[in-house]
Amino acid sequence: MLKILFLTTAHQYDDDRILHHQAKELVSQGHKVKICSLSSNYLGEIEGVEIESQAILNESATGKLEYLRKICARFNPDRIICSEPLAVIAAWLATRKSEAITVYDVTEWYPSTRMVATYPTLLKPFHALRFFLIQLFAGAVSDRYIFGEPSKKFPLSYIFPFKKKLLLPYYPMQRYITEKINVLRRDSITLAYTGTFSKEKGIEHFFNAASELRTRRSSLKLNILLVGSAKGEEGEAYFDFILKKYHWENIQILPPVSLESFTESLTEADVCFDLRPITFENDHCLPIKIFYYAAAGKPVIYSNLKATRNAVDVGKFGWLVNPEDSAAIASHIESYLDSPNIYRKHALNARAAFQTKYNWDRIKASFTEFIVDSKN
């Protein structure tokens, strides 16, 4: 039995990937597992996983490092799985004289546009370089890498090619899926958007396409299902503007839900959307909810991003589009309304793609073996 510690700064202790997939899987194999997060307060145990989490994300880097080092010292782990550079550095500082193996699970684009957004324009390049160098240092002191998707391999996999690495996609497990393949009617459809209600995530593109469909099919009963929330005062003001601009009937807004309830909240959805703008960063980041939509049997309409094209065979259960082309998006929705057989084929293909390819059971053994293996 190994003692395995997850360290994360930005992720919640009950993060989908960390707790519900990786940690629970390691516990099921007989290992002692603990999660430490700096994003929320919790002390206790969840399905055999020990949790010690404090909301100190806004403290100084020194304070956060010291807290994480103390966690490492008390738990004395054999393996440490880190989600961010600061967590990696804390693990390195705490275990330089031990035989513990540090694994860097790279799931975010680093540095992201979001990380430098608050700095003055002239200083953005300097801070981007600073974050990049921190990422390189974290890569240097890590023993192994896990990459959530191929694009995240850059630059660490190329600068440190001889370190062990594993590609571990964000596939869901059946335990968290509520399957509901709907029978589409010609006179009614429910379109769903989930996540953050923001311009950066494409909610205005979603409403623009829905508006185009309403114009074309005035007799259609169009239902809008939104699951999520706006973030911060600026985000809430933007979302209020959107709701006032598209002041329609039949708009249902549900608050953010847990992983266990996510696909259950989408049972009435006929088509699920992600129409985020096509930027350099977005083009290299995979919107992972596509796997949950597929598992639930929901056809999708997604922005035509490089990362999505490379990772998912979307054409079998949906469409990749220019998110700004509302007319083309509306035409794809109309194709479902005019040919329910196409809709059903896509829904069945979505579910089959999950069952045969995009599911956690296919990859969990490789994850466990990678973590348990003592050979670097």
Side-chain angles (χ1 to χ4, degrees), residues 27 97 124 136 140 203 261:
V27 166
K97 297 181 180 180
K124 288 185 191 296
L136 289 186
I203 193 168
S261 303

Side-chain angles (χ1 to χ4, degrees), residues 116-133:
V116 298
T118 58
Y119 295 104
T121 301
L122 292 177
L123 295 180
K124 288 185 191 296
F126 168 78
H127 289 287
L129 177 60
R130 178 170 65 89
F131 288 128
F132 180 75
L133 293 176

Side-chain angles (χ1 to χ4, degrees), residues 32 58 73 137 205 236 249 253 269 312 334 361:
K32 182 176 177 61
N58 294 325
F137 182 76
H205 292 149
E236 290 174 358
E249 69 282 1
I253 304 175
V312 189
E334 287 184 309
D361 282 344

Side-chain angles (χ1 to χ4, degrees), residues 69-339:
R69 288 177 60 188
K70 288 180 179 178
I71 294 291
C72 290
R74 289 202 302 269
F75 191 66
N76 190 27
D78 302 297
R79 306 285 187 274
I80 308 177
I81 305 174
C82 305
S83 300
E84 301 87 12
L86 186 67
V88 172
I89 294 170
W92 172 70
L93 291 172
T95 61
R96 281 180 291 179
K97 297 181 180 180
S98 75
E99 296 183 358
I101 293 174
T102 299
V103 182
Y104 184 8
D105 187 5
V106 184
T107 62
E108 303 293 339
W109 189 261
Y110 199 97
S112 68
T113 303
R114 181 181 65 255
M115 293 175 64
V116 298
T118 58
Y119 295 104
T121 301
L122 292 177
L123 295 180
K124 288 185 191 296
F126 168 78
H127 289 287
L129 177 60
R130 178 170 65 89
F131 288 128
F132 180 75
L133 293 176
I134 293 172
Q135 170 80 328
L136 289 186
F137 182 76
V141 300
S142 300
D143 297 301
R144 302 175 184 176
Y145 307 130
I146 296 176
F147 297 105
E149 52 190 292
S151 64
K152 300 301 190 301
K153 291 181 179 180
F154 179 84
L156 299 184
S157 182
Y158 303 95
I159 296 176
F160 307 105
F162 301 110
K163 294 195 177 187
K164 291 189 67 172
K165 57 187 70 69
L166 173 70
L167 180 64
L168 191 75
Y170 313 95
Y171 298 161
M173 66 173 71
Q174 179 58 52
R175 172 183 177 182
Y176 301 120
I177 300 301
T178 299
E179 175 193 355
K180 181 62 161 55
I181 295 177
N182 294 336
V183 177
L184 191 63
R185 297 162 46 190
R186 294 178 184 271
D187 61 348
S188 176
I189 193 168
T190 299
L191 310 181
Y193 170 104
T194 70
T196 304
F197 304 153
S198 70
K199 188 178 187 68
E200 293 73 21
K201 297 298 183 180
I203 193 168
E204 192 166 4
H205 292 149
F206 171 74
F207 272 99
N208 288 342
S211 180
E212 174 71 18
L213 181 64
R214 279 172 58 92
T215 300
R216 295 186 183 190
R217 305 263 174 141
S218 57
S219 62
L220 176 70
K221 182 183 179 183
L222 178 59
N223 304 300
I224 301 294
L225 174 62
L226 306 176
V227 183
S229 64
K231 304 296 184 184
E233 292 184 4
E234 185 176 343
E236 290 174 358
Y238 174 76
F239 183 52
D240 286 341
F241 163 76
I242 293 295
L243 291 181
K244 290 176 181 177
K245 181 179 179 180
Y246 301 101
H247 186 60
W248 302 333
E249 69 282 1
N250 302 320
I251 296 180
Q252 182 182 12
I253 304 175
L254 301 179
V257 296
S258 66
L259 174 67
E260 296 92 331
S261 303
F262 177 65
T263 53
E264 183 180 359
S265 73
L266 298 172
T267 53
E268 298 306 313
D270 295 313
V271 187
C272 294
F273 289 76
D274 192 305
L275 298 175
R276 65 190 64 193
I278 300 178
T279 63
F280 177 82
E281 187 171 318
N282 284 345
D283 208 32
H284 292 82
C285 295
L286 175 65
I288 63 177
K289 288 177 184 173
I290 194 169
F291 299 121
Y292 288 83
Y293 297 149
K298 305 298 179 182
V300 302
I301 297 181
Y302 260 58
S303 294
N304 189 9
L305 303 174
K306 179 180 178 180
T308 308
R309 291 195 306 271
N310 291 344
V312 189
D313 191 2
V314 179
K316 290 186 177 180
F317 60 93
W319 312 93
L320 291 176
V321 299
N322 176 350
E324 298 182 1
D325 192 346
S326 300
I329 297 169
S331 294
H332 288 313
I333 302 171
E334 287 184 309
S335 71
Y336 286 146
L337 292 166
D338 294 334
S339 302

